[in-house]
């Protein structure tokens, strides 16, 4: 395991072994399909976001749980290889490492997660709490227990970024720490009970989350880009037109890149712009972390990005 002396982004979250099948079309209920190809790679929203943050800021640390099994060792080794600090990844005895079964067809996907060790956390250790307190930016998602997310939000002295995915209710006490909470259209609709189908309705729903206490809100809108709102104002960053080959993990790329950009001092509008550029590249090739562009490629995409609407 490797360690980084001063992480800029600490991601507290899930790590899975992704088993990805490429299909001609997504299966209908009751249907059996033969895959065109199968591959295994590191995944989990937390791990993906840590890799994306590492690419942008070069100092990301991952706090998570794996099983004491071969998959767990493979997952940690893969994060190490990608430069993410893993000294705060703990092995859980008697639980398998998390796994995700992903089907991809025509740029769309379905994902079924077996949470395994991701769902078994005790309290945060002293070392984990210290790392969280010291980090400029702390990132969580909803693939780990609520109590861990609440503790991380409570301990965070920098910016707390919550990717509220997969969708489930978020306590107002956690929401009040979010700067920002990041959601896609469906998650925003689930969180607010509002219909969300484009920038205007997304902005209305995002303002409702601000009224509930969120310090900032970002909503990704697929081809329509992303909207953001915080104390400084609001905006709508449009996406470039690209051919979407595989969107799996593009949301995680967005979250990790945005968090890293905040950690090095950018404001929310600038961070959203960077994250939109990064995600627009990753959707153009297959895979999750393997499709994440390096900083030069993100910079080049940034030059091609349309201005805010
Ligand atoms: O967001 C994509 C991720 O969701 C996959 O890597 C999978 O592991 C699930 O957590």
């Amino acid at each position: 395991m490797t360690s980084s002396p001063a992480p800029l982004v600490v991601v507290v979250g899930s790590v899975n072994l992704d088993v990805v099948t490429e299909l001609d079309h997504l299966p209908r209920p009751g249907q059996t399909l033969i895959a065109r190809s199968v591959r295994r790679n590191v995944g989990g929203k937390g791990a993906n976001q840590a890799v994306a943050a590492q690419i942008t800021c070069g100092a990301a640390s991952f706090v998570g749980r794996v099983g004491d099994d071969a998959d767990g060792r493979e997952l940690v080794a893969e994060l190490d290889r990608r430069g993410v600090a893993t000294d705060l990844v703990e092995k859980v005895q008697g639980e398998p490492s998390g796994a995700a079964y992903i089907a991809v067809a025509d740029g769309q996907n379905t994902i079924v997660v077996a949470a395994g060790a991701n769902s078994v956390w005790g309290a945060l250790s002293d070392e984990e709490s210290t790392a969280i307190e010291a980090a400029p930016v702390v990132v969580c998602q909803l693939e780990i227990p609520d109590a861990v997310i609440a503790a991380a939000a409570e301990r965070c002295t920098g910016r707390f970024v919550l990717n509220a995915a997969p969708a489930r209710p978020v306590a107002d006490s956690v929401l009040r720490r979010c700067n920002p909470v990041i959601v896609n259209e469906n998650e925003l609709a689930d969180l607010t009970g509002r219909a969300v189908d484009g920038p205007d309705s997304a902005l209305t729903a995002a303002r409702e989350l601000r009224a509930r206490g969120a310090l900032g809100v970002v909503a990704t809108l697929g081809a329509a880009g992303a909207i953001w709102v915080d104390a400084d104002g609001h905006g709508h960053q449009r996406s470039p037109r690209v051919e979407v080959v595989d969107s799996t993990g593009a949301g995680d790329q967005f979250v990790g890149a945005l968090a890293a950009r905040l950690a090095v001092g950018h404001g929310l509008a600038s961070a959203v712009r960077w994250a939109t550029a990064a995600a627009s590249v990753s959707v153009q090739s297959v895979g999750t972390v393997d499709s994440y562009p390096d900083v030069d490629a993100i910079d080049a995409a940034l030059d091609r990005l349309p201005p805010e609407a």
Side-chain angles (χ1 to χ4, degrees):
M1 293 187 180
T2 59
S3 69
S4 159
L8 290 168
V9 176
V10 169
V11 178
V12 182
S14 58
V15 56
N16 296 326
L17 183 72
D18 286 356
V19 180
V20 186
T21 52
E22 283 188 55
L23 307 169
D24 291 330
H25 59 85
L26 295 178
R28 294 186 294 276
Q31 190 177 31
T32 299
L33 294 176
I34 308 295
R36 275 197 252 152
S37 70
V38 183
R39 64 174 187 277
R40 293 156 46 102
N41 54 254
V42 64
K45 296 186 191 304
N48 294 344
Q49 291 170 15
V51 170
Q54 174 67 22
I55 291 169
T56 286
C57 74
S61 175
F62 179 65
V63 178
R65 299 291 182 265
V66 294
D68 187 9
D69 52 22
D71 288 352
R73 289 186 284 281
E74 183 181 334
L75 293 170
V76 172
E78 190 56 24
L79 288 174
D80 280 342
R81 193 177 73 74
R82 291 171 189 271
V84 175
T86 57
D87 49 312
L88 296 176
V89 178
E90 277 187 20
K91 288 178 186 160
V92 178
Q93 302 297 328
E95 285 288 336
S97 294
Y101 303 95
I102 302 178
V104 179
D106 294 331
Q108 296 190 303
N109 63 67
T110 61
I111 303 179
V112 177
V113 173
N118 294 299
S119 62
V120 186
W121 294 58
L124 290 170
S125 68
D126 289 347
E127 291 78 11
E128 289 168 339
S129 295
T130 301
I132 289 166
E133 282 165 8
V137 173
V138 174
V139 182
C140 284
Q141 331 70 38
L142 302 184
E143 288 185 326
I144 58 174
D146 284 338
V148 177
I149 298 164
E154 179 77 20
R155 292 279 182 182
C156 176
T157 60
R159 284 183 88 134
F160 181 69
V161 174
L162 178 68
N163 175 216
R168 69 168 187 256
V170 176
D172 283 353
S173 56
V174 171
L175 203 56
R176 282 196 288 272
R177 302 256 172 184
C178 294
N179 195 12
V181 57
I182 304 176
V183 284
N184 66 22
E185 280 175 299
N186 293 334
E187 291 150 2
L188 183 57
D190 281 347
L191 268 185
T192 59
R194 285 181 172 274
V196 178
D197 61 356
D200 292 342
S201 53
L203 201 52
T204 302
R207 287 194 165 116
E208 191 172 308
L209 291 182
R210 280 261 302 154
R212 271 178 60 192
L215 298 166
V217 183
V218 175
T220 58
L221 310 173
I227 60 97
W228 60 272
V229 52
D230 70 1
D232 292 336
H234 67 273
H236 170 206
Q237 178 57 56
R238 292 178 294 156
S239 276
R241 283 179 187 276
V242 296
E243 189 197 348
V244 177
V245 174
D246 180 2
S247 63
T248 317
D252 301 329
Q253 154 91 94
F254 185 97
V255 172
L258 185 148
R261 210 55 177 174
L262 293 177
V264 297
H266 287 260
L268 190 57
S270 169
V272 166
R273 199 166 159 75
W274 178 262
T276 303
S280 76
V281 179
S282 71
V283 298
Q284 295 179 64
S285 56
V286 294
T288 49
V289 290
D290 285 330
S291 70
Y292 293 175
D294 62 18
V295 168
D296 288 344
I298 299 173
D299 255 330
L302 205 55
D303 288 341
R304 296 190 297 271
L305 214 56
E308 281 205 355

